[in-house]
């Protein structure tokens, strides 16, 4: 199996300056720059070649249920002729929350009907309900739970390892960091020991040879001109 880990395009939160961080949104949309990035990503995945001269040939596309990820997947799915599958466990580390007056307030995320109305071609699991998809009672997701979620996703990927296909996951910088650590048995890990970082719409490739994961490349943004790259 060929696995492609992709970070979403630039969100409204990504574009905030440090002095405007109080304007952070719990589930932001993409910026105009992010919309350009996702379109170039889609074109690249559909028609571009990799370093070995081979096409991506993605046969399954998964996305987190966060709005910025759903929006990033839209042109990618259209270019590839695929119906994206929403995988709630791909959501960003710490989950859906905002800090207000010293307290972390949780949010449930988009409701099933809201996702269906905005993205009618997306395949939704039962975990996405009319109450949303995130457990708002968690507030800010505990780090141990983030680790557990990453390990669970890594285990599912390992179970697919003998499939002769290419799978792409659209997720988030923080979660992709711990997912890579889970894939390569580096969890638990202290947050500031080291980090696998992804720029907006960056691509990481991992191959499974039937026994083990092999990292081919990390954080590639060749599909974006320098002026359209963001962090």
């Amino acid at each position: 199996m060929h696995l492609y880990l992709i970070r979403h395009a630039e969100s409204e939160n990504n574009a905030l300056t440090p002095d405007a961080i109080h304007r952070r949104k719990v589930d932001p949309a993409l910026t105009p720059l992010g919309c350009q990035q996702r379109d170039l990503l889609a074109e690249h995945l559909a028609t571009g070649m990799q370093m070995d001269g081979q096409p991506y040939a993605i046969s399954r596309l998964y996305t987190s249920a966060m709005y910025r990820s759903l929006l990033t997947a839209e042109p990618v799915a259209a270019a590839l002729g695929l119906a994206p599958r929403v995988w709630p466990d791909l959501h960003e580390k710490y989950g859906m929350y905002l800090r207000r007056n010293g307290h972390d307030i949780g949010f449930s995320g988009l409701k099933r009907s809201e996702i269906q109305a905005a993205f009618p071609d997306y395949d939704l699991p039962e975990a996405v309900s009319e109450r949303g998809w995130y457990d708002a009672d968690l507030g800010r997701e505990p780090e141990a739970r983030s680790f557990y979620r990453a390990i669970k996703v890594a285990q599912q990927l390992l179970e697919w390892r003998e499939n002769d296909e290419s799978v792409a996951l659209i997720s988030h910088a923080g979660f992709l960091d711990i997912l890579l650590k889970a894939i390569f048995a580096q969890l638990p890990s202290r947050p500031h020991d080291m980090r696998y970082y992804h720029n907006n719409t960056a691509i990481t490739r991992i191959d499974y040879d039937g026994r083990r994961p092999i990292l081919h490349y990390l954080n590639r943004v060749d599909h974006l001109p320098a002026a359209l790259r963001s962090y």
Side-chain angles (χ1 to χ4, degrees):
M1 180 179 72
H2 305 301
L3 173 66
Y4 299 99
L5 305 179
I6 304 169
R7 186 187 174 196
H8 61 80
E10 184 185 71
S11 74
E12 294 168 318
N13 286 352
N14 295 152
L16 293 176
T17 57
D19 62 339
I21 201 66
H22 62 282
R23 291 165 47 198
R24 178 182 174 272
K25 298 180 179 179
V26 68
D27 202 11
L30 299 181
T31 64
L33 173 60
C35 291
Q36 293 181 70
Q37 292 171 340
R38 69 172 185 165
D39 291 343
L40 289 171
L41 170 68
E43 180 182 1
H44 176 69
L45 293 176
T47 64
M49 296 294 177
Q50 303 185 71
M51 292 182 295
D52 57 7
Q54 297 299 313
Y56 288 90
I58 293 168
S59 55
R60 280 194 282 162
L61 176 64
Y62 294 87
T63 174
S64 95
M66 287 180 157
Y67 192 41
R68 54 198 181 275
S69 187
L70 297 171
L71 288 169
T72 300
E74 196 169 26
V76 173
L80 298 177
L82 298 174
R85 304 180 190 183
V86 174
W87 192 347
D89 278 339
L90 299 182
H91 73 75
E92 180 58 300
K93 186 179 181 182
Y94 303 132
M96 295 279 291
Y97 79 97
L98 288 176
R99 190 159 185 80
R100 292 289 183 264
N101 300 320
H103 299 283
D104 295 327
I105 303 171
F107 295 81
S108 298
L110 291 170
K111 299 176 183 178
R112 186 180 189 89
S113 59
E114 292 172 331
I115 296 178
Q116 289 174 327
F119 307 97
D121 297 329
Y122 286 32
D123 184 5
L124 301 181
E126 292 183 3
V128 180
S129 72
E130 277 308 293
R131 292 199 285 181
W133 55 266
Y134 181 72
D135 183 358
D137 290 339
L138 286 174
R140 185 178 189 268
E141 181 186 43
E143 188 161 64
R145 189 180 179 96
S146 296
F147 288 170
Y148 165 75
R149 186 162 48 86
I151 291 169
K152 186 167 67 166
V153 171
Q155 181 60 43
Q156 179 62 75
L157 296 172
L158 189 63
E159 292 176 7
W160 295 339
R161 65 188 179 277
E162 295 183 2
N163 294 347
D164 185 20
E165 61 182 327
S166 296
V167 176
L169 311 183
I170 297 179
S171 186
H172 307 264
F175 185 71
L176 290 177
D177 168 49
I178 57 173
L179 178 57
L180 277 163
K181 291 171 181 173
I183 289 171
F184 292 104
Q186 297 172 343
L187 289 180
S189 171
R190 291 181 299 180
H192 303 296
D193 281 349
M194 60 87 65
R195 187 178 186 190
Y196 295 107
Y197 194 75
H198 287 79
N199 292 10
N200 292 119
T201 69
I203 305 168
T204 287
R205 174 179 165 179
I206 298 170
D207 285 359
Y208 289 80
D209 66 358
R211 296 179 297 114
R212 60 185 177 179
I214 302 169
L215 179 64
H216 276 254
Y217 53 76
L218 175 74
N219 195 35
R220 292 184 65 91
V221 287
D222 307 56
H223 56 284
L224 299 179
L228 295 185
R229 296 175 185 176
S230 64
Y231 306 94

